[in-house]
Amino acid sequence: MTDYRCAVCGVRSPVESLAWCCPRCHGPWDLDFTAGPVSRNSLAGRAGSLWRYEEALPLSATGATGGGPGAVSLGEGRTPLVPLTATLTAKLDFLMPTLSFKDRGAVMLAELARRLRPRRVIADSSGNAGTSIAAYCARAGLDCTVYVPEATSPKKVEQIAAHGARPELVPGDREAAARRAHAAADEDGSFYASHVHNPYFLHGTKTYVYEVWEDLGGRLPDVLVLPAGNGTLLLGAQLAVGELHAHGLIAQRPAMIAVQAAAVAPLAAAFRAGREDITPPATAPTLAEGIAITRPPRARQILSAVRASGGTFLTVTDDQIRAAQLDLAARGLFVEPTGAACWAAVRAHGLGDRTAVVPLCGAGAKTGLAAGG
């Protein structure tokens, strides 16, 4: 295993220490890891999961070579691309084992925890990450507690419990749930399976872009449209684009268009003001619970990634999200409101004649249709 590294302070810590954040600035870790090149010619005979990109992953498959699955794999990844228009394609990441893209990162955290053998696993979530961590901990035989806001969709709480984890409903918002998890994570023997603070999660979500690259014949679209709450898919995408470009596997880097709900849009506000960090805003409720994050710990990294790509931020209203969810359902794709946010942004703002891929991140079965305004 490699070391954690703080991008701000330069502090390093061995992964085996179970330290969940930088001890000096309390910021999230990056990983001191260099991905190897992935040869498209070698992929045909490999396992149909994200482990097929083993050279690019910080955890190699246990005792296997050539892209074999890890010990806790549920066959996650390899989700299909479906055209929505002549230039825009949807990637159906709601067809993951737990019905959300979070499985890409959760399998990495559970595999890491299985190797580290902690006393228990701690997580916090607005719902999808928690259900995913719970499922993969069940697969790995790990004790798991997930802290969620009390307003989390009941179906997501039910799913967490069904996998054998303990859901702890926390009064207040998403930040309150995170604070409770942080306190628990500081206890001896706890592994904090944080989809925000732990960089192994980002190295799992980056496989989203590796799959797009593979399925588009070794290229990427002009634009990647990505949700931006805590930025785990966006920052994973940045990792993958950088790796593919560094190894000469793509010639051009796509622009990243980040999408936030208009009611909770601290990153979009900071981007438009030219700031390097956010000012936590006054917020209102939003249907897009999965990206309703007022204080994303990786805010600076998210803003820098979007700027460096030549991209921008777009915001969408709840009415636009409702309309997008219904439009997708009419096309045979039933996703949760957060999962419809990127399509809502494209419908509202357009992308010109540029090619693009949008993720449909979570299944509508988890939440049902958005309530009418």
Side-chain angles (χ1 to χ4, degrees):
M1 295 181 190
T2 185
D3 287 345
Y4 293 134
R5 174 177 51 81
C6 178
V8 176
C9 302
V11 171
R12 293 177 182 270
S13 177
V15 170
E16 295 86 348
S17 72
L18 300 184
W20 63 268
C21 68
C22 172
R24 184 178 299 168
C25 70
H26 305 292
W29 292 119
D30 286 343
L31 199 62
D32 196 11
F33 169 75
T34 300
V38 175
S39 168
R40 283 185 61 239
N41 294 334
S42 71
L43 294 175
R46 295 193 179 189
S49 75
L50 61 79
W51 293 95
R52 68 198 281 109
Y53 310 111
E54 182 178 32
E55 297 93 335
L57 296 176
L59 292 174
S60 62
T62 51
T65 59
V72 301
S73 176
L74 292 168
E76 56 291 323
R78 303 302 295 134
T79 56
L81 292 171
V82 174
L84 295 179
T85 72
T87 57
L88 191 140
T89 302
K91 186 161 173 60
L92 310 192
D93 257 27
F94 68 91
L95 298 181
M96 288 284 199
T98 76
L99 308 182
S100 94
F101 87 96
K102 296 290 176 61
D103 290 2
R104 294 185 183 277
V107 68
M108 299 296 291
L109 293 184
E111 178 64 22
L112 176 62
R114 186 189 69 81
R115 299 182 190 193
L116 294 177
R117 300 184 182 277
R119 179 171 58 86
R120 63 172 181 167
V121 174
I122 300 297
D124 61 290
S125 171
S126 60
N128 279 338
T131 61
S132 190
I133 295 294
Y136 284 93
C137 281
R139 182 74 169 173
L142 296 166
D143 183 88
C144 181
T145 300
V146 182
Y147 296 89
V148 298
E150 60 184 357
T152 297
S153 301
K155 287 293 184 184
K156 294 180 181 180
V157 177
E158 182 181 1
Q159 189 180 1
I160 290 169
H163 290 307
R166 288 178 298 280
E168 292 282 348
L169 272 63
V170 179
D173 60 9
R174 178 68 182 80
E175 303 299 329
R179 288 192 294 272
R180 283 284 300 277
H182 295 171
D186 284 333
E187 298 175 8
D188 287 344
S190 292
F191 174 80
Y192 184 23
S194 172
H195 59 293
V196 182
H197 284 81
N198 194 302
Y200 278 87
F201 196 93
L202 305 182
H203 283 273
T205 61
K206 77 182 180 185
T207 60
Y208 171 92
V209 168
Y210 274 92
E211 290 177 15
V212 172
W213 166 77
E214 181 183 356
D215 291 344
L216 292 183
R219 62 181 179 85
L220 292 177
D222 300 326
V223 175
L224 292 170
V225 185
L226 300 157
N230 276 310
T232 55
L233 184 55
L234 187 149
L235 291 174
Q238 181 198 31
L239 282 173
V241 169
E243 290 166 4
L244 289 167
H245 190 265
H247 293 303
L249 297 172
I250 56 172
Q252 301 293 328
R253 300 174 186 243
M256 293 197 294
I257 293 183
V259 177
Q260 293 211 281
V264 186
L267 292 161
F271 183 88
R272 291 165 185 164
R275 296 196 301 268
E276 294 183 358
D277 206 347
I278 62 164
T279 300
T283 61
T286 177
L287 295 171
E289 63 180 5
I291 53 174
I293 309 298
T294 57
R295 294 177 176 84
R298 295 187 186 270
R300 285 179 172 268
Q301 289 176 295
I302 297 166
L303 290 165
S304 175
V306 174
R307 288 191 174 109
S309 77
T312 191
F313 277 80
L314 300 176
T315 59
V316 288
T317 66
D318 277 9
D319 285 345
Q320 289 169 330
I321 291 172
R322 287 189 191 93
Q325 187 189 32
L326 289 171
D327 181 74
L328 288 168
R331 298 167 184 261
L333 303 168
F334 187 35
V335 302
E336 64 178 330
T338 301
C342 287
W343 179 232
V346 172
R347 294 178 80 223
H349 300 280
L351 296 174
D353 59 358
R354 292 180 293 176
T355 59
V357 173
V358 299
L360 304 183
C361 293
K366 287 174 173 269
T367 59
L369 285 172

